[in-house]
């Protein structure tokens, strides 16, 4: 005898399924989750801090990362530099709890509003946000065209947290 | 005789130059703008509404789009569907004025905080934000796994604004 699912049963990643993309109307105006993964099997994810609206990072998700994020309510990404599924915070403890997830018009990008554990940092360099520098535009460039640091102090010491793991930044 | 630049002389896109990427320290901790364009010549751009922090859209910029955005203070993108430089708002009138631009740790993504002209909409479907639908996660999925519309009404009629231009959404 089959039993109906109850609230106590957390969905597993296997139970998160995606609809087939059939029409522009379905994708843009419908209520079915039908994400579009690019040639590398990825969708783009922008992650903001739920409380402040600050953009913390831009990441990428493959199918499994998106399924696990939806199933568990904790942000999972695909690490393009390490080429592994990446449960954000597994190493640093700075887990991102998903407060809300949105998807865009053509369903090739998601927006996570998150609450970050611990020091609240999300950047591997040690800053709160990956976007810790301002680029002067238009008239402001007459004063200086140099990047300006908007965060003065790091939230954590990357060497203490990540040890000698390879830096993901590529030249 | 050369004259010194004055505030009245707006920089042209030609005068926006990018530094060569020499080291991880320079890219992550320095004050030089040294963006990294991907294999397709693009960097990712997340655009938020300056007043509310709402994510309006995710876009892409090639070198020229980034230069023009910096030089003019109005958002320019590379349209991947139309394969053209795209001065946002040129057709719809919904120009995005850049209030602040940020760049991320490895300089392969930018964040624009913008103020949008007219109805304030940024989505080609007619909504304020491209992210007009919520995806239920974790425990919320026990009620429904359908997308939920968080915007009830469109800000403009896409047919009236774009006419019979091809829809950029790809299946």
């Amino acid at each position: 005898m089959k039993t109906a699912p109850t609230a106590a049963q957390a969905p597993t990643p296997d139970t998160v399924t995606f609809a087939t993309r059939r029409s522009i109307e379905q994708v843009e105006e419908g209520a079915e989750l039908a994400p579009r993964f690019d040639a590398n099997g990825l969708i783009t994810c922008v992650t903001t801090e739920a409380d402040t609206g600050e953009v913390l990072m831009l990441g990428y998700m493959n199918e499994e990362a998106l399924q696990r994020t939806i199933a568990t309510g904790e942000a999972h990404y695909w690490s393009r530099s390490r080429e592994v599924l990446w449960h954000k915070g597994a190493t640093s403890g700075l887990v991102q709890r998903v407060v809300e997830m949105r998807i865009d018009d053509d369903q090739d990008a998601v927006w996570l509003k998150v609450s970050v554990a611990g020091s609240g940092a999300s950047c591997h360099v040690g800053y709160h946000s990956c976007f810790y520098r301002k680029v002067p535009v238009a008239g402001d460039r007459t004063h200086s065209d140099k990047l300006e640091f908007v965060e003065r102090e790091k939230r954590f010491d990357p060497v203490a947290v990540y040890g000698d793991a390879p830096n993901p930044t590529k030249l």
Side-chain angles (χ1 to χ4, degrees), chain A:
Chain A
M1 189 179 117
K2 286 174 78 175
T3 54
T6 69
Q9 291 178 304
T12 66
D14 294 343
T15 66
V16 176
T17 54
F18 305 134
T20 304
R21 294 167 69 91
R22 297 183 306 273
S23 71
I24 288 176
E25 188 181 359
Q26 169 221 11
V27 167
E28 292 185 345
E29 307 274 9
E32 287 182 296
L33 181 60
R36 182 175 197 264
F37 298 92
D38 70 10
N40 297 313
L42 303 176
I43 62 171
T44 309
C45 173
V46 51
T47 302
T48 63
E49 189 169 53
D51 281 354
T52 63
E54 186 166 17
V55 176
L56 296 175
M57 56 181 282
L58 262 177
Y60 298 86
M61 293 179 175
N62 65 356
E63 198 169 304
E64 187 181 358
L66 180 57
Q67 287 172 322
R68 286 185 182 269
T69 301
I70 292 171
T72 66
E74 294 185 355
H76 290 68
Y77 302 94
W78 175 256
S79 167
R80 295 181 304 169
S81 54
R82 291 180 289 136
E83 299 190 337
V84 290
L85 183 76
W86 170 30
H87 180 194
K88 176 79 180 166
T91 302
S92 65
L94 302 168
V95 169
Q96 297 177 336
R97 186 176 60 77
V98 179
V99 175
E100 188 176 306
M101 177 187 273
R102 301 263 194 107
I103 195 154
D104 76 338
D105 42 23
D106 59 352
Q107 300 203 29
D108 71 351
V110 294
W111 168 18
L112 299 184
K113 301 183 191 182
V114 303
S115 165
V116 184
S119 66
S122 285
C123 172
H124 77 278
V125 183
Y127 294 104
H128 176 237
S129 161
C130 294
F131 294 85
Y132 49 83
R133 286 170 297 182
K134 192 151 79 172
V135 183
V137 298
D140 288 344
R141 298 179 71 243
T142 55
H143 308 298
S144 167
D145 63 357
K146 292 294 176 201
L147 305 182
E148 179 192 332
F149 279 70
V150 288
E151 291 192 39
R152 296 289 169 192
E153 290 191 12
K154 296 189 182 186
R155 300 275 182 111
F156 66 86
D157 174 5
V159 176
V161 169
Y162 297 111
D164 54 4
N167 189 307
T169 292
K170 306 279 184 211
L171 286 183

